[in-house]
Amino acid sequence: MTARSHVLSLSLQARSALVLFVKDIGQGLLVVSHNTLALLGFAVLAIGIVFASQADLRQDTESKVLGWLNARHEARVEASGDVLALMAEPDAISRATAVDPKQLTHQQAAVAQYLARRYRVAPEPVSRLVKEAWEVGQRARVDPTLILSIMAIESGFNPFAQSSVGAQGLMQVLTRVHDDKYEAFGGNLAAFDPITNLRVGVQVLKECIQRAGSIEEGLRRYVGAANLPDDTGYAARVLAEQDLLKMVVAGRNVSPNAPRPAREPSSAPQPSPPNGEQVAMVSHPTP
């Protein structure tokens, strides 16, 4: 055998050995990877079984992971400067006391627009109050224009109003006196929910009118002046405001800047309140 043939033979043998070595390494890695994946699968399965059997551990882990993800998301959003995105709450609209005036009847919409201009408040929340006044008034058999007039005089449609004696909300109900009426709505803090305050106020107003025997004397009781010489003109102001709303309901053009006309109290005799009846049932006379 020549030297050249010998070198060629050695080269082929080396190549074959190298190919065999690479194949062995590849097969070894494949076996190792299969075993590793199998072990990983078994580990995942074991962890899954543990989590499935221990609800508390699963919930705690899920809570921590979710908290971590939220924290990462908030950090990225905060770094971008979009603070509003951190406080986004798509369901917040469900808490809004508002309705489109187009959803009201013609009379209700006219009253809502008039009150919005007269008291410089947005028409949407006023529309919701007008709608509620009509519904509650029908159930309680109280004229909705009277309900709205009381809100106008008492609070000017400010749901967070509070008097010096503690009368609160749209209809200035004395919460501490009528706390039992707020129990059905979750407690005294519901006094600052406009709809709840309206409903409670109407119930108190109805009771005052029933006890007094007339609307005018009922208003005196409502304002806490049943046992006082006069109510400082409170009933007259409410009834005068109601007269304007009735004109709006009737389709008459009433200026939102119209003054509240003086109204003479009724000359008919009124029943006297029982002795010892609590004064200031609802609120105090508005100046």
Side-chain angles (χ1 to χ4, degrees), residues 155-168:
S155 66
F157 296 98
N158 175 9
F160 309 123
Q162 177 165 310
S163 73
S164 59
V165 296
Q168 297 175 323

Side-chain angles (χ1 to χ4, degrees), residues 90-152:
D91 296 332
I93 192 172
S94 63
R95 297 198 303 268
T97 305
V99 69
D100 190 338
K102 295 179 181 179
Q103 299 179 14
L104 304 181
T105 66
H106 179 72
Q107 291 180 332
Q108 293 172 357
V111 170
Q113 293 293 345
Y114 169 78
L115 291 173
R117 293 194 302 270
R118 184 169 176 80
Y119 291 94
R120 299 181 180 179
V121 291
E124 290 81 6
V126 170
S127 295
R128 179 67 179 90
L129 297 176
V130 169
K131 184 174 183 290
E132 188 69 21
W134 247 264
E135 294 177 356
V136 176
Q138 184 178 13
R139 292 184 179 184
R141 297 184 180 181
V142 176
D143 194 320
T145 59
L146 178 63
I147 299 171
L148 293 167
S149 297
I150 289 176
M151 283 190 281

Side-chain angles (χ1 to χ4, degrees), residues 98-99 203 254:
V99 69
Q203 178 61 35
V254 181

Side-chain angles (χ1 to χ4, degrees), residues 35-51:
N35 291 337
T36 302
L37 290 175
L39 290 174
L40 182 61
F42 281 123
V44 171
L45 180 62
I47 294 174
I49 293 174
V50 171
F51 280 140

Side-chain angles (χ1 to χ4, degrees), residues 214-274:
S214 71
I215 292 178
E216 189 166 333
E217 283 300 307
L219 289 172
R220 286 172 53 83
R221 288 174 180 267
Y222 187 90
V223 80
N227 296 329
L228 301 178
D230 65 78
D231 61 1
T232 69
Y234 172 80
R237 291 196 299 275
V238 171
L239 295 174
E241 189 72 14
Q242 185 186 19
D243 287 342
L244 296 176
L245 292 182
K246 285 182 176 180
M247 286 190 286
V248 174
V249 171
R252 296 177 59 181
N253 186 19
V254 181
S255 171
N257 299 319
R260 295 173 187 144
R263 179 174 179 139
E264 293 297 327
S266 172
S267 58
Q270 304 295 342
S272 301

Side-chain angles (χ1 to χ4, degrees), residues 172-231:
Q172 290 290 277
V173 178
L174 271 179
T175 305
R176 66 176 183 274
V177 174
H178 299 284
D179 57 350
D180 59 316
K181 292 181 173 62
Y182 284 110
E183 290 180 0
F185 301 96
N188 290 354
L189 288 180
F192 298 105
D193 169 53
I195 300 302
T196 300
N197 192 278
L198 188 156
R199 293 173 179 176
V200 172
V202 170
Q203 178 61 35
V204 176
L205 175 64
K206 179 181 179 181
E207 293 173 0
C208 289
I209 294 174
Q210 288 176 337
R211 291 177 184 177
S214 71
I215 292 178
E216 189 166 333
E217 283 300 307
L219 289 172
R220 286 172 53 83
R221 288 174 180 267
Y222 187 90
V223 80
N227 296 329
L228 301 178
D230 65 78
D231 61 1

